[in-house]
Amino acid sequence: MPWKTLMERFSSSALFTFLAVAGLFHAPAWADTSVLVTVDVESYTNGDPSLQVLGAVPDSSEPLGVPFMARRFAELGIRGTFYVNVYERAKYGDTVLRRAIRDILAYGHEIGLHTHPQPTFGPGGLSRHPLAIQKQILAWGRDLLSDWSGMPILIHRAGGYMANLDTLQALQALGFVADASLAPSVPSPLSKQIPAPYNDVAEIEEIVELPVTYYAQIRLGPYESLRLVDIESSSAEEILAVLAAFARRNGCAVNIMMHSFSLTRYGKADRRPATKLARIAQFVHENESLQFRGTREFLDGWRRGAIQCTPARDFVPTTGLWLTYLRAWERFGDGWKNAAMALSPAGAVSFALLILLLRRRKNLDSPVARARP
């Protein structure tokens, strides 16, 4: 019987039992925090897949999308998880996505399903559909991705974080074992339905939930500004601070986000995310309390009780105003908000000086001042 067919006959629980038995003699328990590096493989709504999936940009001698990431991850000792949006097949066919999948697997990384179902199933994110339709959407994507990759598809992330409790029920019914759609720092449907803002691993509807890790960049009294741990939008210093905080708490996992277009978002080469990733990799390798793991490796350890961690489900690290300010300078040209934040101290000083000058002028023009000899 072919291996693919054999694996597909296992239910999710049976698969984990199989992995647990197979791993008993070579996978000891670990007491460190797992670092998961995850990539959403997709293009923009009207995007060019050769640019936004493969990363072919005119100002780079090599593609900076999935092929580059797969190779670079391997060089840095990272086993990545690539969530592939196969529904884009309706827009531009099979060629680009199948090339990306080939590179992902060639470097030993993992494949998961990413659901932006609009190109194939019409308008609306996944959670806007009823349970029965969600099952159809997920089964279609799972089967196509399994056929292209030759692997059972067991993990999922909803596009735009558009998942809800129906999504988790559908995933469980279809044999998935884990989901990474929970993003409590953004107004996602699932984060509004669950009773706690999980920021670490949890089991919901018999599905292992791997939230996209988030942190508070600014806290002022009751106000807090939250941000996802994203290679593009977070600075290296902020991500290192989050990793260190989870390691000190013996948290179970930090889930880091990327996109296939992280190095080509504006149609030009941008190697800053790759530089950040190298710094993160060095930090993880030098910290005995942190360890890069693939999602399936982590799930195997989780289900067989090999992870000696303390789920920090309500723990939200704070990186602070100073790191937020430094990030604004790092991303100065990437939007008006960064420029405004970077220039705000100079603006505040200028405003204060203007007030002082006006007050001084007012005092000099007063009748009392004019009457003085």
Side-chain angles (χ1 to χ4, degrees), residues 65-307:
V66 171
F68 174 84
M69 292 178 186
R71 174 176 60 80
R72 189 63 180 134
F73 285 6
E75 292 171 350
L76 293 173
I78 299 170
R79 171 173 274 186
T81 301
F82 291 76
Y83 292 95
V84 182
N85 180 29
V86 294
Y87 305 91
E88 294 190 7
R89 177 194 198 190
K91 293 197 298 184
Y92 50 75
D94 299 1
T95 304
V96 169
L97 289 173
R98 298 187 78 158
R99 159 72 193 280
I101 290 169
R102 184 170 67 248
D103 286 332
I104 292 165
L105 297 178
Y107 285 98
H109 305 300
E110 299 175 351
I111 297 282
L113 178 64
H114 191 44
T115 46
H116 281 286
Q118 294 89 335
T120 302
F121 289 90
L126 187 61
S127 61
R128 294 184 178 176
H129 295 280
L131 176 60
I133 302 302
Q134 288 199 43
K135 284 184 180 179
Q136 293 178 23
I137 293 170
L138 289 164
W140 187 92
R142 176 201 62 186
D143 293 345
L144 180 61
L145 189 53
S146 179
D147 179 61
W148 284 356
S149 66
M151 302 287 291
I153 304 304
L154 305 172
I155 53 181
H156 166 262
R157 175 181 284 147
Y161 312 112
M162 293 292 287
N164 57 15
L165 289 176
D166 282 350
T167 306
L168 300 187
Q169 292 180 27
L171 290 170
Q172 196 276 334
L174 293 170
F176 286 81
V177 297
D179 176 72
S181 305
L182 181 59
S185 65
V186 297
S188 58
L190 184 57
S191 65
K192 296 177 181 179
Q193 289 182 317
I194 61 174
Y198 295 119
N199 200 28
D200 205 345
V201 184
E203 291 199 40
I204 309 172
E205 300 289 345
E206 301 184 41
I207 292 290
V208 180
E209 187 62 47
L210 303 168
V212 181
T213 306
Y214 69 102
Y215 58 97
Q217 55 183 343
I218 299 174
R219 274 198 173 101
L220 296 172
Y223 170 78
E224 59 181 8
S225 176
L226 304 178
R227 199 174 191 88
L228 294 176
V229 178
D230 187 310
I231 289 287
E232 293 173 68
S233 61
S234 299
S235 69
E237 287 74 16
E238 288 172 312
I239 297 175
L240 298 186
V242 171
L243 289 169
F246 267 81
R248 288 193 297 269
R249 295 268 306 209
N250 191 32
C252 297
V254 174
N255 194 352
I256 300 175
M257 271 283 298
M258 291 187 72
H259 289 86
S260 54
F261 46 74
S262 286
L263 281 74
T264 60
R265 181 177 282 276
Y266 301 105
K268 298 180 180 179
D270 181 0
R271 293 182 177 271
R272 288 177 299 175
T275 302
K276 293 180 197 177
L277 192 65
R279 287 192 59 195
I280 292 165
Q282 180 180 1
F283 182 81
V284 170
H285 291 315
E286 292 176 353
N287 192 323
E288 62 181 12
S289 297
L290 297 167
Q291 179 66 48
F292 285 119
R293 289 190 172 90
T295 300
R296 292 196 185 191
E297 180 186 4
F298 175 82
L299 292 170
D300 171 32
W302 177 266
R303 282 295 177 94
R304 63 187 178 85
I307 305 177

Side-chain angles (χ1 to χ4, degrees), residues 314-362:
D314 59 350
F315 172 58
V316 181
T318 301
T319 55
L321 185 59
W322 177 243
L323 291 186
T324 303
Y325 177 68
L326 292 179
R327 186 191 69 240
W329 275 109
E330 178 184 306
R331 297 175 56 82
F332 186 85
D334 296 343
W336 69 268
K337 290 183 180 179
N338 291 308
M341 179 68 182
L343 296 174
S344 59
V349 170
S350 299
F351 181 75
L353 289 174
L354 177 62
I355 295 297
L356 289 173
L357 289 173
L358 290 174
R359 290 185 64 180
R360 178 175 175 79
R361 180 176 179 179
K362 182 179 179 181

